[in-house]
Structure formats: structure tokens, C-alpha cells
Amino acid sequence: MKRIGMGASSLLALGLSVMLANSALAETKAGKPPAPGLPVLDEAVSPCENFFLHACGTWQKENPIPNDQARWGNFNALADRNLDLLHNILDEAVAKPQAKTARIANFYASCMDESGVNAAGLAPLAPALDRIKALSDKKQLGGLVGYLHDQGVNTLFGFGRMQKFSDAVQTIAAAGQGGLGLPDRDFYFKDDAKSKEQRAAYVAHIAKIFELAGTPGEAAKAKADSVMAFETALAEASMTRLERRDPQKQNNPTTLADFAKAYPAIDWNAYLAVVGAPSFSEMNVGQPKFFEALNARLNQASLDEIKTYLTWHTLRANAQWLPTAFSEEAFNFYGRTLNGTKEQRPRWKRCVAATDDALGEDLGQYFVEKAFGPEHKQRMLTMVGDVQAALKDRISNLPWMSDETKTKAHDKLANMPNKIGYPDKWRDYGKLTVVKGELLGNVMRANAFEQRRVLSRIGQPRDSTEWGMTPPTVNAYYSPQQNNINFPAGILRPPFFDFTADDAYNYGAIGGVIGHEIIHGFDDQGRKFAGDGNLKDWWTEADAKGFTERAQCLIDQYSGFQAVEGVNLNGKQTLGENTADNGGLPVALDALKRRLGEAGMAKKIGGLSAEQRFFYGWANVWCAHERPEFRRLQAQTGVHSLPEYRVNGTLSNMPEFAKAFNCQPTDKMVRGEKACKVW
């Protein structure tokens, strides 16, 4: 699932190269945007020098990062506004009890009862911890791990479902690597000073959680060391993020019988019985070498080492729902140490988010009623159609692609449906029991409900109506194995989609997002899937080579962007998202030109041309700034480039941008002959 993400320049006076009318400048001096939807511009920075700071510099000054955030941008601000709306819905549901809202009201109220959670202590987690303590034979591991997975404890490995690589209509079982507590396998091995510091902090965090759970200091430290050794062994056998970007490397079909025979340290029949998986034969193993190492580790480790590891992951998975001391310690490491966040989010925000996570399509119905009307959906459908039509023309005119590959690209594009706003049929949560006053019980039952819902599809045909995000989510995604694009209602609000703004702004903002998601079907990963969702090479050898050569330009460009001192972006890791930005935005501009025609494109609003408003729309959605710790983490683990590079990196490759602002060949925002272009 490919998502749009959340993921210093010298200050120059505006000169002859800046084509902003005096009226627009006069309005920005008064602290007003030049047109509806547009940002307040920073006049001190030339758009040809650093467009991100020109468009977002004033925003950054006026919007400091809140103490409970690691980054703050228009993405986050919209997410917060959505939380506010959900908060109002839930508060009303609690204050005015009704049968239809009882489930969301009771879940939320249980979460907000901090005094009740503190009074209960570890008692709600005792059944899980006691099961681990009772482990007396490794033969019992299958059933125990199945129980933990069912409760939402992601330990040892991952198990779920997927669409079959060779026949995407079929849903099969899937097993993959997992069981780590640090953000990425490389965190266990990097030898720079910062990485060593983070590993030491992680071990100290594990020890602290064990202490809070009742283990004395020295014993807690010993347990933390044991956990770190166990996880390091799993990390060593795990695929890197770059390796996992290649679907062919994860295409390892097998049968359940062969899988169980190859990795007998787990009783797989017992595991599957506990998680409630239906009977199946076909499955895929994403990382066979990981399971080889896991099998060996389980055979070598003592029962106490395994129990210590499982206890840690059970505490870790549930720390935020335990007494305040646990949630604060979890935040101290994952929030403060890794992300640089100064304080934990208010409890109401955490509880609203938890309710959305557990009951997304239940709560989401009320969000849609208040935030997304049929007129919004119709305008989105128009833009999607325009962008798809523009890409069709662009494919036809690609100078480097053969007619044979173009025909198949057109077929894939023609068979790319969209889902906008919310599901046609809401999910039924009737079998999920929510009890007021049982926060952890509600969370665990919600996890089990979702786990079983997911697994129940094994052996069934693909369900193309299913959503992978809840309606209030501020994001969008492309599914390569369903070959569809998806836009939840949560992102279809200002500044991404501003119903009061003109088409130029919206095609640059949400239109760029639409183009981004469509291009994911043709990026370095998406291009390996055919229009029916099957993993299939539909490119000629020469065209595949042409794509790779052009993609290398993006790899080189983005690898040169610095996140923090000593850490640059990883151009290979971010290639898919950078390809989507650099392909999607030009296509959205083509779509705007088709929609407005010459007369419409020539019309100025607030002294700005349609092209200028378009580019400001793109920049505005990415206005943001981040704490250094977050920038480092994003560069190391994220697939999205940092916001300023999503703006400047993309626009510097577009001659249309340079023309719109009369930028000169020597300006920093003009790459000229070095410009990267794939689509």
C-alpha cells in the first residue's frame, strides 16, 4: 500500500526574476494570502531561490511545533482538526447515550477514565502475563504466540493475509519477519555515536518497564540485556527496507505443510487454531531466511529467555493502556528519545485516535456526516478523471517508451478504479464486545476482532471494496494488487481540498496527491504489477532499462539532500515516493490545463497566474517543520522525503515552474539539463 505520507537558504529580495504582481505583494505585506487557499508568502525569499521557504517561511514562523508533536505541518494541523471534530462527536455520544453510539461512547469513556486505569494497575494484563509465566515446554509456543497475536502483541513474526502474487484475485495466508522493538533492523547494527546512544536508551527503557512491572533493578537490567540479544539475532536475519522494496524478493510461495515442516520450532497447527485462521494450503513466506534464523533461535534459547522476550513485548504493546507510569515511560523512549517530542499528547487526543483505530468505520460514519458531502465527492471524481486523462496523453507521448509497453501501460491505467471518501457499505462491529470501564479489555477484543476479520478472507476472492484506512485519516494510498487509488474523507478538507478555492489551487494541492497515487502504479515497485494486480513483467527489456536509467537521476538527486548533519536522505529508499511526486504533479498540471483551457489559464486571481496558484497549492500542503530527532528518524526509516524536498526537489525538475516565476538558469530552483523526468 503506497501512501502520500506525512512523511537554509540565503534570503534574497524579490527582483526582476519574480513575476508577482504588486497587488499580491501588497496583500502579503498585510499578512494575507494573495488568493483563497494560498499561503501567506515570505517576500524576503525569492521563489527561484527556495520555493519552500518562500511559500512556507511565514507559515513556519507563525506555527511553532507544539510540545506534543515531533513535526508540525499542514498535514498535522488538518489531522488535529479532524481529531477535534471526532472529539466533539464522542463527547456528545458520551453525554447523550444512545443505542447506536453506545459502542464508540463506551470505548472512548473507558479510555478517558485515567483514574480507573491507574487503580486497576497491571491486573487487566495479568491473564496474558500469567500465560507466559505458565509456559513450561517450547511445544506450547504455537498456542501462546497465537494468543498474543490475537490480543495485538506483535511478537516473534507476522502472520496475516495477502493477494497471491501470481493471481491477485486469490487471497492467501502470509508470514513475514517481525518481533523487533526498535524502528528498523539497521538500528541494531549502526555504529555511529547517535545509534549507540539510542540502543543504550532502548535497553534502559526495557529495564525501566520491567521495573514498573515489579522486577527488581538488577534483574530488570539482566532481562533487558536478554531481550536486546534476542532481538538482535532476529534483526540480523531480517531483510533491509531496501530489500523489501523488491516484491520479487518477497515472492516465496509455499504450502502450509512445507512451511510447518521447514520451521518446526513453532507448532503451526496450534498457532492457526488459536488465531482462528480458516483451513488453507497455499501461503507466501516473505522472508524465508528470517524464519530459518527464528527457528534456530527458538531451539537455542532457554525457556526463560523466550519468556522474558515475550513478556517484554506484551508490556511494550500495552504500555499506553496501562497506568500513567507505563505510558509516560513508553513516551519517554519512543516519543522523546527517538522523535524529540517534548511532551505526550493530551489523553483525549490519544483516546480519540484509539477509538478511530478500533472502531474506524463505526466512528467514521458520524465524521462523514459532518465533514464530507456529495458535492465534495463529485468535484473529486472530476479531478480524478482529468488527471487520469492527462496521464493517458502523457504515456502516449513518452519519447523513451515503445508502443508495446505503452499499450500495456494504457491498459493498466484504464483498469484503475478509485474509492473516494468512505466505504459503500459500512463495517459491521456487532460481534465486538465493548464494556465501559475495561480499557485494556476493549483494546484486546478490538485487536482480536480485527485479526479474525482479516484472516477470515483467506481462501476468499479479493474484496476490492475494502478500505485500508478509516474515513477521518489524513492520507491516501494506491494498492498495487488491487490496482486502485483511495482517498479517505479526512484528507479531502483544506488545505488539501479547499471547496472555496479555485481549480488552480486545488489541482496543485489535492490534484497533485491524485497524480501522486496514480503514478505509484508506475513507480519502481508499482510498475512490476500488471493491471490485474498480478506480479508480472509487462515491460520490454529496453523500456525497463530506460525507466531504471531515469529513476537513477531521482536517486542521485534526493540522496544529496541533508536531513541533519551527517545524515542524508536515502534516494533508493524514497524512490517510489519521489517518482510519484515528480510524475504526479506535472500530470496534475496537464489536467488543470485541460480543465481551464487557454482562457482559464490566463486568468489571474490576486495578481497570480493559474500556474503560480497551482504551484503554491502544492507547496502549501507540505508547509511543515520538524525536530532534529524526527528528521533523522525519517531519513533513516521513512519512504517519504522531508517536506522541503518534496517541494523544492519536485519543482526544480519542472521547466513549467521556472517559466511561471521567470526563474533564470543559474537560480537554485532550476536544474536545467540535470532535471529528472521519468513520466
Side-chain angles (χ1 to χ4, degrees):
M1 188 165 72
K2 309 298 287 299
R3 308 182 180 194
I4 182 72
M6 286 276 277
S9 167
S10 59
L11 300 179
L12 300 178
L14 291 174
L16 293 177
S17 65
V18 185
M19 296 296 291
L20 293 176
N22 290 333
S23 60
L25 289 175
E27 288 186 304
T28 58
K29 285 179 181 177
K32 298 179 181 179
L38 299 188
V40 177
L41 309 179
D42 188 338
E43 309 161 33
V45 183
S46 164
C48 300
E49 177 75 8
N50 186 323
F51 194 72
F52 178 79
L53 284 182
H54 167 69
C56 298
T58 299
W59 185 96
Q60 289 180 327
K61 295 168 189 173
E62 295 177 350
N63 294 272
I65 303 174
N67 286 340
D68 65 347
Q69 300 286 332
R71 78 182 290 273
W72 189 247
N74 274 326
F75 227 109
N76 311 82
L78 175 54
D80 248 29
R81 291 196 296 276
N82 288 354
L83 278 181
D84 282 335
L85 179 53
L86 294 175
H87 187 201
N88 292 335
I89 292 169
L90 288 167
D91 273 352
E92 183 176 353
V94 172
K96 301 176 182 178
Q98 297 182 51
K100 67 178 182 178
T101 57
R103 195 162 33 236
I104 59 174
N106 289 338
F107 191 100
Y108 176 70
S110 300
C111 185
M112 287 299 293
D113 183 13
E114 188 171 10
S115 61
V117 171
N118 288 336
L122 275 178
L125 197 58
L129 296 175
D130 288 346
R131 286 203 184 200
I132 297 172
K133 289 179 184 177
L135 183 68
S136 59
D137 192 316
K138 291 181 184 179
K139 293 179 181 179
Q140 301 167 339
L141 266 176
L144 175 58
V145 175
Y147 166 78
L148 294 175
H149 280 189
D150 203 42
Q151 304 298 303
V153 179
N154 299 316
T155 189
L156 285 181
F157 58 88
F159 180 80
R161 71 173 197 218
M162 64 173 289
Q163 304 312 127
K164 189 176 180 181
F165 278 122
S166 60
D167 184 2
V169 173
Q170 295 188 45
T171 308
I172 62 172
Q177 66 190 43
L180 305 181
L182 285 171
D184 184 75
R185 56 91 61 200
D186 290 350
F187 273 62
Y188 292 84
F189 307 111
K190 288 180 178 290
D191 60 1
D192 60 279
K194 187 66 175 179
S195 296
K196 291 178 180 178
E197 177 186 314
Q198 289 175 333
R199 281 196 295 274
Y202 179 54
V203 173
H205 166 60
I206 298 172
K208 181 63 176 176
I209 290 289
F210 272 117
E211 284 190 57
L212 291 173
T215 303
E218 287 302 314
K221 176 64 168 64
K223 287 186 176 183
D225 289 338
S226 175
V227 168
M228 189 63 172
F230 197 102
E231 290 189 0
T232 301
L234 298 186
E236 191 169 15
S238 299
M239 276 190 184
T240 66
R241 285 181 181 266
L242 286 180
E243 289 172 328
R244 298 202 307 275
R245 283 188 54 75
D246 186 349
Q248 287 290 3
K249 290 183 178 179
Q250 300 195 78
N251 181 19
N252 305 292
T254 187
T255 64
L256 174 59
D258 287 345
F259 178 71
K261 183 178 179 180
Y263 315 115
I266 294 284
D267 181 343
W268 294 104
N269 288 328
Y271 172 85
L272 294 170
V274 173
V275 298
S279 177
F280 67 88
S281 175
E282 286 187 282
M283 64 180 296
N284 188 76
V285 184
Q287 301 83 24
K289 289 184 179 179
F290 173 83
F291 282 94
E292 291 175 12
L294 173 62
N295 196 76
R297 184 67 184 177
L298 291 175
N299 286 330
Q300 295 165 3
S302 70
L303 207 58
D304 281 345
E305 287 175 320
I306 295 172
K307 289 161 74 171
T308 295
Y309 167 82
L310 295 177
T311 299
W312 156 242
H313 276 273
T314 301
L315 291 167
R316 173 180 175 269
N318 294 288
Q320 61 183 320
W321 315 123
L322 293 175
T324 303
F326 285 89
S327 64
E328 285 292 343
E329 174 54 33
F331 166 76
N332 186 54
F333 178 70
Y334 289 104
R336 186 174 286 112
T337 299
L338 291 185
N339 283 285
T341 312
K342 294 182 178 181
E343 62 185 40
Q344 192 163 198
R345 288 191 300 170
R347 190 170 185 90
W348 74 262
K349 287 188 178 182
R350 288 178 276 147
C351 290
V352 169
T355 309
D356 177 48
D357 185 54
L359 298 161
E361 290 191 19
D362 200 348
L363 176 59
Q365 297 178 53
Y366 305 101
F367 175 85
V368 168
E369 285 179 5
K370 294 180 179 295
F372 192 73
E375 68 279 10
H376 297 88
K377 189 166 187 173
Q378 186 54 52
R379 193 167 175 186
M380 269 294 292
L381 286 169
T382 297
M383 283 191 283
V384 170
D386 286 350
V387 174
Q388 288 182 316
L391 180 56
K392 179 181 178 181
D393 288 347
R394 186 167 282 251
I395 291 172
S396 296
N397 295 321
L398 280 178
W400 57 271
M401 182 178 282
S402 69
D403 289 342
E404 180 182 348
T405 304
K406 285 180 181 179
T407 298
K408 294 175 181 177
H410 279 137
D411 288 343
K412 181 171 186 177
L413 179 63
N415 288 286
M416 186 183 291
N418 61 75
K419 299 201 293 286
I420 295 173
Y422 52 90
D424 293 330
K425 182 180 179 181
W426 295 105
R427 189 166 299 161
D428 182 3
Y429 293 89
K431 293 183 179 180
L432 173 58
T433 300
V434 175
V435 180
K436 189 174 182 179
E438 294 185 9
L439 170 58
L440 190 58
N442 291 336
V443 169
M444 287 183 164
R445 286 188 290 271
N447 285 328
F449 173 85
E450 177 63 10
Q451 167 90 335
R452 289 166 185 265
R453 185 193 70 80
V454 168
L455 295 182
S456 70
R457 297 296 306 173
I458 294 174
Q460 301 297 315
R462 175 176 62 195
D463 180 7
S464 297
T465 68
E466 184 180 34
W467 280 74
M469 293 177 178
T470 67
T473 303
V474 183
N475 217 319
Y477 68 95
Y478 166 78
S479 171
Q481 291 192 284
Q482 296 198 17
N483 190 37
N484 60 22
I485 51 177
N486 306 266
F487 304 92
I491 198 174
L492 303 180
R493 306 182 72 197
F496 285 91
F497 181 30
D498 190 336
F499 213 70
T500 68
D502 74 307
D503 279 337
Y505 173 85
N506 278 313
Y507 276 69
I510 195 64
V513 174
I514 294 168
H516 173 104
E517 298 304 340
I518 293 174
I519 291 294
H520 269 315
F522 304 92
D523 67 15
D524 63 307
Q525 291 177 292
R527 76 174 191 84
K528 296 178 181 179
F529 293 86
D532 56 9
N534 293 346
L535 183 62
K536 181 181 180 181
D537 187 1
W538 48 274
W539 295 62
T540 67
E541 184 176 349
D543 290 336
K545 181 180 179 183
F547 176 94
T548 301
E549 289 173 349
R550 286 161 177 79
Q552 185 63 47
C553 179
L554 289 172
I555 293 173
D556 294 341
Q557 178 189 6
Y558 283 81
S559 293
F561 293 143
Q562 186 180 78
V564 293
E565 186 175 355
V567 179
N568 278 22
L569 302 189
N570 186 327
K572 290 183 178 180
Q573 187 168 288
T574 57
L575 177 58
E577 300 299 330
N578 297 334
T579 303
D581 283 348
N582 280 271
L585 192 63
V587 171
L589 181 56
D590 289 348
L592 175 66
K593 292 176 180 178
R594 291 169 62 98
R595 171 59 47 186
L596 296 185
E598 284 189 29
M601 291 298 293
K603 181 181 178 181
K604 289 191 175 184
I605 298 178
L608 301 176
S609 69
E611 285 94 343
Q612 289 172 331
R613 301 195 305 277
F614 173 90
F615 290 122
Y616 282 126
W618 176 253
N620 193 36
V621 300
W622 299 117
C623 286
H625 44 170
E626 310 81 22
R627 302 191 191 280
E629 295 89 345
F630 178 90
R631 292 176 66 85
R632 177 187 178 88
L633 184 64
Q634 176 71 11
Q636 291 176 328
T637 65
V639 296
H640 297 91
S641 295
L642 291 163
E644 66 261 42
Y645 303 128
R646 300 192 73 165
V647 175
N648 290 350
T650 303
L651 300 188
S652 64
N653 286 322
M654 293 182 65
E656 299 94 335
F657 168 81
K659 181 179 179 181
F661 289 94
N662 197 28
C663 299
Q664 303 305 304
T666 55
D667 289 331
K668 289 185 178 180
M669 286 297 302
V670 181
R671 285 175 58 83
E673 293 182 356
K674 294 182 179 180
C676 302
K677 182 179 179 181
V678 180
W679 291 100

